[in-house]
PDB file of all heavy atoms in Angstrom:
ATOM      1  N   ASN A 153      -3.390   1.850  -8.542  1.00  0.00           N
ATOM      2  CA  ASN A 153      -2.487   1.326  -9.568  1.00  0.00           C
ATOM      3  C   ASN A 153      -3.182   0.222 -10.341  1.00  0.00           C
ATOM      4  O   ASN A 153      -4.177  -0.335  -9.864  1.00  0.00           O
ATOM      5  CB  ASN A 153      -1.228   0.738  -8.896  1.00  0.00           C
ATOM      6  CG  ASN A 153      -1.586  -0.254  -7.816  1.00  0.00           C
ATOM      7  OD1 ASN A 153      -2.114   0.117  -6.774  1.00  0.00           O
ATOM      8  ND2 ASN A 153      -1.330  -1.533  -8.061  1.00  0.00           N
ATOM      9  N   THR A 154      -2.635  -0.108 -11.498  1.00  0.00           N
ATOM     10  CA  THR A 154      -3.077  -1.316 -12.180  1.00  0.00           C
ATOM     11  C   THR A 154      -2.702  -2.479 -11.276  1.00  0.00           C
ATOM     12  O   THR A 154      -1.599  -2.494 -10.717  1.00  0.00           O
ATOM     13  CB  THR A 154      -2.330  -1.458 -13.525  1.00  0.00           C
ATOM     14  OG1 THR A 154      -2.578  -0.272 -14.266  1.00  0.00           O
ATOM     15  CG2 THR A 154      -2.794  -2.654 -14.307  1.00  0.00           C
ATOM     16  N   SER A 155      -3.606  -3.444 -11.127  1.00  0.00           N
ATOM     17  CA  SER A 155      -3.381  -4.585 -10.246  1.00  0.00           C
ATOM     18  C   SER A 155      -2.024  -5.236 -10.533  1.00  0.00           C
ATOM     19  O   SER A 155      -1.689  -5.479 -11.696  1.00  0.00           O
ATOM     20  CB  SER A 155      -4.512  -5.585 -10.481  1.00  0.00           C
ATOM     21  OG  SER A 155      -4.595  -6.460  -9.415  1.00  0.00           O
ATOM     22  N   GLY A 156      -1.252  -5.494  -9.481  1.00  0.00           N
ATOM     23  CA  GLY A 156       0.031  -6.173  -9.648  1.00  0.00           C
ATOM     24  C   GLY A 156       1.226  -5.232  -9.625  1.00  0.00           C
ATOM     25  O   GLY A 156       2.318  -5.604  -9.223  1.00  0.00           O
ATOM     26  N   LYS A 157       1.025  -3.967 -10.053  1.00  0.00           N
ATOM     27  CA  LYS A 157       2.151  -3.020 -10.108  1.00  0.00           C
ATOM     28  C   LYS A 157       2.408  -2.402  -8.734  1.00  0.00           C
ATOM     29  O   LYS A 157       1.537  -2.420  -7.866  1.00  0.00           O
ATOM     30  CB  LYS A 157       1.790  -1.886 -11.072  1.00  0.00           C
ATOM     31  CG  LYS A 157       1.895  -2.272 -12.527  1.00  0.00           C
ATOM     32  CD  LYS A 157       2.590  -1.151 -13.271  1.00  0.00           C
ATOM     33  CE  LYS A 157       1.882  -0.631 -14.460  1.00  0.00           C
ATOM     34  NZ  LYS A 157       2.463   0.588 -14.961  1.00  0.00           N
ATOM     35  N   PRO A 158       3.578  -1.800  -8.539  1.00  0.00           N
ATOM     36  CA  PRO A 158       3.810  -1.097  -7.269  1.00  0.00           C
ATOM     37  C   PRO A 158       2.790   0.032  -7.092  1.00  0.00           C
ATOM     38  O   PRO A 158       2.396   0.675  -8.064  1.00  0.00           O
ATOM     39  CB  PRO A 158       5.226  -0.526  -7.434  1.00  0.00           C
ATOM     40  CG  PRO A 158       5.863  -1.344  -8.512  1.00  0.00           C
ATOM     41  CD  PRO A 158       4.763  -1.743  -9.430  1.00  0.00           C
ATOM     42  N   SER A 159       2.347   0.260  -5.857  1.00  0.00           N
ATOM     43  CA  SER A 159       1.343   1.301  -5.599  1.00  0.00           C
ATOM     44  C   SER A 159       1.905   2.682  -5.915  1.00  0.00           C
ATOM     45  O   SER A 159       3.086   2.925  -5.722  1.00  0.00           O
ATOM     46  CB  SER A 159       0.918   1.257  -4.136  1.00  0.00           C
ATOM     47  OG  SER A 159       0.405  -0.005  -3.831  1.00  0.00           O
ATOM     48  N   PRO A 160       1.045   3.604  -6.380  1.00  0.00           N
ATOM     49  CA  PRO A 160       1.521   4.945  -6.734  1.00  0.00           C
ATOM     50  C   PRO A 160       1.673   5.847  -5.518  1.00  0.00           C
ATOM     51  O   PRO A 160       0.782   5.908  -4.667  1.00  0.00           O
ATOM     52  CB  PRO A 160       0.421   5.477  -7.651  1.00  0.00           C
ATOM     53  CG  PRO A 160      -0.803   4.719  -7.288  1.00  0.00           C
ATOM     54  CD  PRO A 160      -0.386   3.413  -6.688  1.00  0.00           C
ATOM     55  N   THR A 161       2.798   6.542  -5.448  1.00  0.00           N
ATOM     56  CA  THR A 161       3.020   7.468  -4.337  1.00  0.00           C
ATOM     57  C   THR A 161       3.030   8.924  -4.821  1.00  0.00           C
ATOM     58  O   THR A 161       3.311   9.829  -4.055  1.00  0.00           O
ATOM     59  CB  THR A 161       4.341   7.132  -3.613  1.00  0.00           C
ATOM     60  OG1 THR A 161       5.392   7.130  -4.587  1.00  0.00           O
ATOM     61  CG2 THR A 161       4.285   5.762  -2.956  1.00  0.00           C
ATOM     62  N   ASN A 162       2.739   9.124  -6.112  1.00  0.00           N
ATOM     63  CA  ASN A 162       2.488  10.487  -6.608  1.00  0.00           C
ATOM     64  C   ASN A 162       1.472  10.425  -7.750  1.00  0.00           C
ATOM     65  O   ASN A 162       1.189   9.348  -8.281  1.00  0.00           O
ATOM     66  CB  ASN A 162       3.790  11.192  -7.029  1.00  0.00           C
ATOM     67  CG  ASN A 162       4.473  10.497  -8.193  1.00  0.00           C
ATOM     68  OD1 ASN A 162       3.846  10.225  -9.225  1.00  0.00           O
ATOM     69  ND2 ASN A 162       5.738  10.190  -8.037  1.00  0.00           N
ATOM     70  N   ALA A 163       0.934  11.600  -8.112  1.00  0.00           N
ATOM     71  CA  ALA A 163      -0.183  11.635  -9.068  1.00  0.00           C
ATOM     72  C   ALA A 163       0.237  11.177 -10.469  1.00  0.00           C
ATOM     73  O   ALA A 163      -0.547  10.565 -11.188  1.00  0.00           O
ATOM     74  CB  ALA A 163      -0.765  13.041  -9.116  1.00  0.00           C
ATOM     75  N   GLY A 164       1.482  11.465 -10.846  1.00  0.00           N
ATOM     76  CA  GLY A 164       1.956  11.069 -12.176  1.00  0.00           C
ATOM     77  C   GLY A 164       1.851   9.568 -12.381  1.00  0.00           C
ATOM     78  O   GLY A 164       1.452   9.092 -13.451  1.00  0.00           O
ATOM     79  N   ARG A 165       2.191   8.803 -11.343  1.00  0.00           N
ATOM     80  CA  ARG A 165       2.126   7.336 -11.441  1.00  0.00           C
ATOM     81  C   ARG A 165       0.674   6.855 -11.518  1.00  0.00           C
ATOM     82  O   ARG A 165       0.386   5.844 -12.155  1.00  0.00           O
ATOM     83  CB  ARG A 165       2.833   6.689 -10.245  1.00  0.00           C
ATOM     84  CG  ARG A 165       4.340   6.948 -10.190  1.00  0.00           C
ATOM     85  CD  ARG A 165       5.041   6.438 -11.432  1.00  0.00           C
ATOM     86  NE  ARG A 165       6.492   6.543 -11.323  1.00  0.00           N
ATOM     87  CZ  ARG A 165       7.335   6.256 -12.316  1.00  0.00           C
ATOM     88  NH1 ARG A 165       6.874   5.884 -13.497  1.00  0.00           N
ATOM     89  NH2 ARG A 165       8.633   6.365 -12.147  1.00  0.00           N
ATOM     90  N   VAL A 166      -0.244   7.561 -10.869  1.00  0.00           N
ATOM     91  CA  VAL A 166      -1.666   7.203 -10.962  1.00  0.00           C
ATOM     92  C   VAL A 166      -2.126   7.421 -12.400  1.00  0.00           C
ATOM     93  O   VAL A 166      -2.782   6.561 -13.005  1.00  0.00           O
ATOM     94  CB  VAL A 166      -2.543   8.081 -10.022  1.00  0.00           C
ATOM     95  CG1 VAL A 166      -4.012   7.734 -10.193  1.00  0.00           C
ATOM     96  CG2 VAL A 166      -2.121   7.925  -8.574  1.00  0.00           C
ATOM     97  N   TYR A 167      -1.748   8.576 -12.965  1.00  0.00           N
ATOM     98  CA  TYR A 167      -2.185   8.926 -14.314  1.00  0.00           C
ATOM     99  C   TYR A 167      -1.681   7.899 -15.326  1.00  0.00           C
ATOM    100  O   TYR A 167      -2.416   7.491 -16.226  1.00  0.00           O
ATOM    101  CB  TYR A 167      -1.693  10.338 -14.655  1.00  0.00           C
ATOM    102  CG  TYR A 167      -2.437  10.951 -15.819  1.00  0.00           C
ATOM    103  CD1 TYR A 167      -3.724  11.465 -15.651  1.00  0.00           C
ATOM    104  CD2 TYR A 167      -1.869  11.001 -17.085  1.00  0.00           C
ATOM    105  CE1 TYR A 167      -4.418  12.013 -16.715  1.00  0.00           C
ATOM    106  CE2 TYR A 167      -2.557  11.543 -18.155  1.00  0.00           C
ATOM    107  CZ  TYR A 167      -3.835  12.056 -17.961  1.00  0.00           C
ATOM    108  OH  TYR A 167      -4.516  12.587 -19.025  1.00  0.00           O
ATOM    109  N   GLU A 168      -0.419   7.496 -15.126  1.00  0.00           N
ATOM    110  CA  GLU A 168       0.183   6.480 -16.001  1.00  0.00           C
ATOM    111  C   GLU A 168      -0.703   5.222 -16.086  1.00  0.00           C
ATOM    112  O   GLU A 168      -0.902   4.664 -17.148  1.00  0.00           O
ATOM    113  CB  GLU A 168       1.488   6.062 -15.321  1.00  0.00           C
ATOM    114  CG  GLU A 168       2.702   5.979 -16.189  1.00  0.00           C
ATOM    115  CD  GLU A 168       3.904   5.758 -15.269  1.00  0.00           C
ATOM    116  OE1 GLU A 168       4.064   4.646 -14.715  1.00  0.00           O
ATOM    117  OE2 GLU A 168       4.662   6.723 -15.100  1.00  0.00           O
ATOM    118  N   ASP A 169      -1.220   4.786 -14.930  1.00  0.00           N
ATOM    119  CA  ASP A 169      -1.979   3.529 -14.867  1.00  0.00           C
ATOM    120  C   ASP A 169      -3.458   3.712 -15.194  1.00  0.00           C
ATOM    121  O   ASP A 169      -4.077   2.823 -15.768  1.00  0.00           O
ATOM    122  CB  ASP A 169      -1.903   2.925 -13.447  1.00  0.00           C
ATOM    123  CG  ASP A 169      -0.596   2.195 -13.199  1.00  0.00           C
ATOM    124  OD1 ASP A 169       0.333   2.358 -14.009  1.00  0.00           O
ATOM    125  OD2 ASP A 169      -0.508   1.464 -12.193  1.00  0.00           O
ATOM    126  N   LEU A 170      -4.055   4.840 -14.760  1.00  0.00           N
ATOM    127  CA  LEU A 170      -5.529   4.908 -14.762  1.00  0.00           C
ATOM    128  C   LEU A 170      -6.114   5.986 -15.654  1.00  0.00           C
ATOM    129  O   LEU A 170      -7.342   6.168 -15.687  1.00  0.00           O
ATOM    130  CB  LEU A 170      -6.027   5.100 -13.315  1.00  0.00           C
ATOM    131  CG  LEU A 170      -5.692   3.958 -12.346  1.00  0.00           C
ATOM    132  CD1 LEU A 170      -6.197   4.287 -10.945  1.00  0.00           C
ATOM    133  CD2 LEU A 170      -6.288   2.632 -12.813  1.00  0.00           C
ATOM    134  N   SER A 171      -5.271   6.697 -16.391  1.00  0.00           N
ATOM    135  CA  SER A 171      -5.788   7.729 -17.289  1.00  0.00           C
ATOM    136  C   SER A 171      -6.793   7.106 -18.262  1.00  0.00           C
ATOM    137  O   SER A 171      -6.526   6.049 -18.843  1.00  0.00           O
ATOM    138  CB  SER A 171      -4.598   8.349 -18.015  1.00  0.00           C
ATOM    139  OG  SER A 171      -4.989   8.816 -19.255  1.00  0.00           O
TER     140      SER A 171
END
Side-chain angles (χ1 to χ4, degrees):
N153 52 291
T154 303
S155 199
K157 284 224 233 169
S159 302
T161 55
N162 63 51
R165 295 301 186 185
V166 177
Y167 198 77
E168 226 172 72
D169 281 13
L170 298 178
S171 151

